Amino acid sequence: MDSRFSGQNGGEGAAAWHDPIMIGSGLALLAATSVLAADGTSLIERWRGLGPVLWLAAAGAAALWVLLLGVFMFATRCRDIDPGPSTLDLGGPEPPALVNLLTSGWRLGHEAVPATLLDLGARRLLGIEQVGEQTLVRIRPASDRTRERTKDLEPYERMVLDHVVAHATDGVIPAEALTTGPEDEAKGWWKRFRKSVERDARNRGLSRRRWSPGVRITLAISALVVAVCVGVAATTLPDDPDKSDDDPLGAALAFSLMTAGTLMVLGEAPNRERDTRVGREAASRWLGLRTLLSEDPLFAEYPPAGVAIWDRLLAYGATMGVAHGAVRALPLGAERDDEAWSPVGGHWRVVRIRYPNRIPPGYGRHPGLVTFLGLIRLALAGPAVPAASAAADGLRDLVVGNSADKTVPAGFQLGVGIALGVIVAGAALLAVQGLVMVVAGFADLATRHRPIEGRVLRVRRRGDDDNQRWYVAVDDGTADRIRAWKTLPGGAAQAATVGAEVTRCLAHVRNLTVVTPAPAKPSLPEDEIRESTPLSALLGTVDLTGGTLAPGTAWTPIPVTAGPSPPLPDAATVSAAAGRPLDVDPAASAHPLAQDGRSVSFVGAGGATLHVAWVDPNFLQAHRSMPRFLRRELSGVGDEAYRAVIGGGVVARRGGHVLLVMGRLPGFSDSDRNRAFEEVARAAVNGSGGAG
């Protein structure tokens, strides 16, 4: 054996040959050497005759590089996070933008920007007000306290504050004007914001880059090996003797550089953020808060001015996707196409959305038409290879007949080989596509369309002006991952409830009908609240207890009741009403809406939590204003009571005192949970047992 592959260099040689890409390139070079060593025509012609083998080796090396990239991506994927205990306590000191990164799989979402704005309002660095239908953002006057608070801002928080200051006129700007500029400018602004958040997360140990230095070096070296293989294969391309500037070696170098650059870019594309142990622990705490906030439908519909009540909780709810009303009113953030929060099923949850087009083939089309088109593809794919082979043989015979030495030029052989390879690959792809279409089409024809009714989460257009595709993503509550349906434009609007008949494989839609139209104003529908009623009344900033509403309003003033609120129910009363053992949680903090801290939290087995609090009487007005499809009026619970359809939370009034009951009871059906909350509220407001 050659000493170069033994002795002290043996370890390095063995390590190099362990790389599968290097193994492939080495085998290709060995094959090339053995062929060139044989007797035959000139060296150049024999080398060009190796073209198909070298190109195949280069393709194999590229495939191995892609496989290596896939292995690294799988090994460095972010792990799933289990939510921590449901609690109203903040999960830590992280700003809302960082919390968005942690609770979204270490992929920063655009909700982080409006959430940061809301947090600036909660920290009294900006004022957020509601005047009629319009949200206004106001710059607070400069003061020593404001300047002191500004010093603690992170760079990305300062970006949002500076953006508001730069666009405000006389210290005020409507929320609708808070855009980040044209598309290119907005992309640049968002890129700077995202990088700043990711940098802060890495500095705090909450995230890290996906690729370690070792992985990056491995991918780079492997990409260079693939580039060398492509460059070597490119030297077999025939040159043109009639062109003095024809340079095969220059072309080979260009092929190598282009391949290396392309693979480097592809290798860096997934190199974003990934989880760390500290980050997973923080994410778990924040997900516990999200679990609790997501069960309060009223919280989800609060406008940005709701920071006057919920303080920083509204900002954190917005960044975690459970404060839709606040995010909707602030155009700084955009909803994601591939992810949506859905209340279908009785509680808010994240739904992932796909928009299929070519896979599966024939998606959205009629099963009969797809079956027919699949059979045509199979009929075309069968004779394609024999016909191409016969044509190649005919061309070879023609070239040999017109050649002086009755031989086939190496360049012609290479061209024919590449053309045949392309035709064979295309025919195989066509056959597979046709087979899938036939099977899917027959399967849908053999079964009936399924009736589906659900909420429209997204309506999107894909393609260009000449080839538009419209998608409607409908959630029926049975899965957390759904495929958007291909439909005609104008079939439905977001937030509407629709019904349709859909096939299982191809998702062909027929009889799409709107069951419940999307509300024009999800939080304040016109049929339930007069336009003359100030929204500030809903946020507790206007006293309604003395009957200060405008004449003609449908609301009844809340009577003024002297004295403290009634006692809160004790554990025995709550356990009896809920139908399961619950104990007082001594470590729980007061509910943020509780008056004078008058709240109590209960915990039970299986992660059960229940919160009872006496809240500001004006809070009842917000429940009165909820759309009818989101609330139910209860009888026999105090003087007035409402239950939220989503989550089951109850607000009940006894005289001038208003009680809030909310929580989660795992293992309970929606009806049992609703009954439990109602019984707890009835026991509290009717005075049957209390803890003081």
Side-chain angles (χ1 to χ4, degrees):
M1 180 181 292
D2 195 321
S3 62
R4 289 174 298 174
F5 295 95
S6 62
Q8 71 180 64
N9 291 334
E12 296 179 3
W17 285 92
H18 277 53
D19 191 322
I21 297 179
M22 291 186 176
I23 292 176
S25 61
L27 292 176
L29 292 176
L30 287 175
T33 304
S34 62
V35 173
L36 289 175
D39 293 334
T41 57
S42 68
L43 181 63
I44 294 178
E45 290 180 354
R46 291 202 305 270
W47 177 256
R48 285 179 175 163
L50 291 174
V53 176
L54 295 176
W55 280 110
L56 182 61
L64 289 174
W65 184 90
V66 173
L67 177 62
L68 184 65
L69 177 64
V71 170
F72 284 146
M73 292 180 63
F74 179 80
T76 58
R77 70 193 186 280
C78 293
R79 304 177 216 179
D80 294 334
I81 307 297
D82 294 326
S86 299
T87 175
L88 282 170
D89 296 332
L90 297 183
E94 295 83 15
L98 278 185
V99 174
N100 180 277
L101 181 72
L102 299 179
T103 58
S104 301
W106 276 260
R107 290 178 54 199
L108 190 68
H110 286 270
E111 300 87 354
V113 183
T116 299
L117 178 63
L118 290 169
D119 194 48
L120 294 175
R123 292 155 66 181
R124 308 299 185 264
L125 290 169
L126 293 173
I128 303 178
E129 304 171 1
Q130 192 87 16
V131 179
E133 297 289 330
Q134 194 173 52
T135 299
L136 299 178
V137 180
R138 187 180 302 278
I139 301 172
R140 293 189 178 275
S143 64
D144 293 340
R145 179 175 296 181
T146 302
R147 283 189 287 269
E148 188 66 26
R149 291 170 178 167
T150 305
K151 292 180 181 179
D152 298 330
L153 293 180
E154 298 294 340
Y156 47 89
E157 295 177 313
R158 186 175 291 277
M159 282 182 62
V160 177
L161 180 61
D162 291 345
H163 179 75
V164 175
V165 172
H167 290 78
T169 302
D170 295 330
V172 179
I173 181 173
E176 293 82 357
L178 283 173
T179 60
T180 52
E183 183 176 359
D184 292 340
E185 183 179 340
K187 287 182 178 179
W189 192 94
W190 165 251
K191 185 177 181 179
R192 294 192 302 273
F193 182 88
R194 175 177 58 80
K195 287 187 175 181
S196 180
V197 174
E198 293 173 352
R199 190 180 306 112
D200 186 27
R202 289 195 296 273
N203 292 339
R204 297 172 185 244
L206 301 172
S207 72
R208 52 180 164 164
R209 297 298 286 176
R210 186 168 192 171
W211 297 153
S212 65
V215 170
R216 297 185 71 181
I217 292 174
T218 302
L219 287 175
I221 293 177
S222 301
L224 291 177
V225 172
V226 176
V228 169
C229 291
V230 172
V232 171
T235 60
T236 64
L237 295 174
D239 61 347
D240 189 351
D242 297 330
K243 292 184 178 180
S244 59
D245 59 347
D246 193 33
D247 184 8
L249 293 179
L253 180 61
F255 270 97
S256 296
L257 294 176
M258 182 175 63
T259 301
T262 301
L263 295 184
M264 294 288 188
V265 171
L266 292 177
E268 275 299 307
N271 189 20
R272 302 294 287 272
E273 300 300 304
R274 61 169 296 198
D275 57 323
T276 64
R277 180 186 60 81
V278 177
R280 290 192 298 272
E281 292 174 355
S284 178
R285 295 192 300 269
W286 285 109
L287 289 174
L289 173 64
R290 186 176 75 176
T291 300
L292 192 59
L293 293 178
S294 66
E295 294 167 354
D296 186 350
L298 185 63
F299 177 84
E301 296 298 337
Y302 259 103
V307 295
I309 286 182
W310 289 97
D311 201 55
R312 299 189 74 183
L313 280 177
L314 188 64
Y316 285 108
T319 204
M320 292 187 288
V322 292
H324 318 288
V327 173
R328 270 196 308 263
L330 299 173
L332 279 164
E335 62 184 14
R336 291 172 56 170
D337 292 347
D338 60 347
E339 183 177 293
W341 278 84
S342 172
V344 178
H347 64 280
W348 288 95
R349 73 189 201 288
V350 177
V351 178
R352 314 288 180 181
I353 305 171
R354 292 194 300 112
Y355 300 86
N357 183 29
R358 300 185 184 279
I359 300 176
Y363 181 79
R365 307 179 80 173
H366 192 282
L369 177 60
V370 173
T371 303
F372 176 72
L373 294 177
L375 292 173
I376 291 179
R377 283 167 169 76
L378 289 175
L380 293 175
V385 175
S389 179
D393 291 340
L395 285 175
R396 287 193 187 94
D397 294 340
L398 181 62
V399 171
V400 170
N402 294 326
S403 176
D405 55 359
K406 303 301 182 181
T407 60
V408 179
F412 179 81
Q413 287 274 33
L414 177 62
V416 170
I418 294 176
L420 278 177
V422 172
I423 293 175
V424 170
L429 180 62
L430 190 66
V432 171
Q433 186 183 49
L435 181 62
V436 171
M437 294 174 70
V438 170
V439 172
F442 268 124
D444 281 351
L445 288 174
T447 58
R448 295 183 176 181
H449 284 63
R450 297 177 299 152
I452 293 179
E453 181 175 314
R455 180 184 176 93
V456 178
L457 303 183
R458 293 289 184 267
V459 177
R460 292 293 185 267
R461 189 191 76 168
R462 293 290 187 268
D464 51 29
D465 293 338
D466 297 328
N467 184 24
Q468 296 182 1
R469 306 187 308 275
W470 287 87
Y471 289 92
V472 174
V474 177
D475 175 33
D476 62 351
T478 60
D480 293 335
R481 296 180 181 272
I482 62 176
R483 298 183 300 174
W485 303 338
K486 276 187 178 179
T487 63
L488 296 175
Q494 281 189 198
T497 300
V498 300
E501 297 176 351
V502 187
T503 61
R504 293 183 180 273
C505 296
L506 299 173
H508 175 254
V509 180
R510 70 181 186 187
N511 299 332
L512 178 65
T513 57
V514 177
V515 177
T516 304
K521 299 176 183 178
S523 57
L524 300 173
E526 293 182 1
D527 62 339
E528 298 208 12
I529 178 172
R530 297 178 180 273
E531 294 183 354
S532 59
T533 303
L535 186 58
S536 56
L538 302 181
L539 304 178
T541 57
V542 173
D543 184 14
L544 299 182
T545 58
T548 58
L549 289 175
T553 180
W555 288 351
T556 302
I558 298 176
V560 177
T561 301
S565 55
L568 292 163
D570 55 23
T573 302
V574 171
S575 298
R580 67 187 304 174
L582 294 169
D583 298 318
V584 175
D585 183 5
S589 57
H591 193 282
L593 300 182
Q595 276 192 316
D596 302 324
R598 297 295 307 280
S599 69
V600 61
S601 297
F602 302 89
V603 294
T609 58
L610 195 146
H611 307 274
V612 184
W614 291 107
V615 298
D616 190 302
N618 292 295
F619 185 70
L620 181 67
Q621 306 297 353
H623 267 74
R624 286 174 168 178
S625 70
M626 289 174 66
R628 291 189 180 95
F629 67 86
L630 286 178
R631 64 170 168 83
R632 296 289 183 270
E633 189 169 354
L634 305 178
S635 59
V637 182
D639 300 324
E640 179 182 6
Y642 302 95
R643 174 175 55 79
V645 172
I646 303 170
V650 174
V651 174
R653 178 177 65 85
R654 177 184 176 185
H657 301 295
V658 175
L659 183 82
L660 170 66
V661 179
M662 60 178 291
R664 60 191 302 266
L665 299 175
F668 275 41
S669 65
D670 289 350
S671 59
D672 289 340
R673 177 205 61 200
N674 296 341
R675 180 200 60 78
F677 289 171
E678 183 177 343
E679 291 301 322
V680 170
R682 179 178 287 109
V685 298
N686 293 342
S688 57

